Amino acid sequence: MPGSRKLGRATDHRKSMLRGMVTYLLESGRIETTVTRAKEVRAMTEKMITVAKTNDLHSRRQVLAYVTKEDVVKKLFDEIAPKYKDVNGGYCRIIKTGTRRGDASEMCIIELVDTESK
């Protein structure tokens, strides 16, 4: 269930952080973060892509309520969602990269999956 991890943050801070990370993932295609954050970001990113696949005004407003940049929403509806129109989930991939040197947190790379390679 998305949103069940607290990530050691207050509710407002956690929601804001996840919104920013989802926006940046949709903008750049990949980010490096901790594994627990990546699992939360993956859940919300996949929800946003699934909503964007319907491509109507209501879904655009739903995505705009969560994603913080309008140009990222345009990219999501014009480029990303049509790429996954025949795929039912599994839009993101998490690749573990080892531990962080400072505090030994388990790090990973989360990225959008290319559908052309399948």
Side-chain angles (χ1 to χ4, degrees):
M1 181 172 141
S4 61
R5 293 180 183 89
K6 293 191 178 180
L7 303 174
R9 307 254 188 284
T11 304
D12 293 338
H13 186 188
R14 181 176 59 249
K15 286 181 181 179
S16 175
M17 179 186 68
L18 290 175
R19 286 178 66 192
M21 290 178 79
V22 168
T23 301
Y24 188 70
L25 177 61
L26 292 172
E27 184 177 27
S28 66
R30 75 185 313 184
I31 55 175
E32 184 175 0
T33 185
T34 61
V35 173
T36 52
R37 286 183 189 174
K39 288 178 181 178
E40 286 294 309
V41 169
R42 176 179 58 186
M44 292 311 299
T45 303
E46 292 194 359
K47 275 191 167 203
M48 293 298 115
I49 293 173
T50 302
V51 169
K53 283 167 62 174
T54 58
N55 198 6
D56 58 353
L57 181 61
H58 180 62
S59 61
R60 188 172 293 266
R61 285 180 176 167
Q62 284 180 316
V63 172
L64 270 169
Y66 193 81
V67 176
T68 59
K69 295 182 180 177
E70 289 184 21
D71 57 332
V72 176
V73 173
K74 182 168 175 38
K75 179 181 178 182
L76 175 62
F77 277 88
D78 295 343
E79 299 172 21
I80 298 172
K83 189 166 69 169
Y84 298 112
K85 69 179 182 295
D86 297 328
V87 181
N88 293 328
Y91 314 122
C92 298
R93 170 188 307 137
I94 295 177
I95 304 166
K96 295 183 180 179
T97 59
T99 58
R100 185 163 49 197
R101 185 169 180 195
D103 60 354
S105 293
E106 201 169 346
M107 298 297 288
C108 68
I109 294 173
I110 180 171
E111 61 187 6
L112 297 175
V113 176
D114 293 328
T115 57
E116 292 83 26
S117 62
K118 290 182 179 179

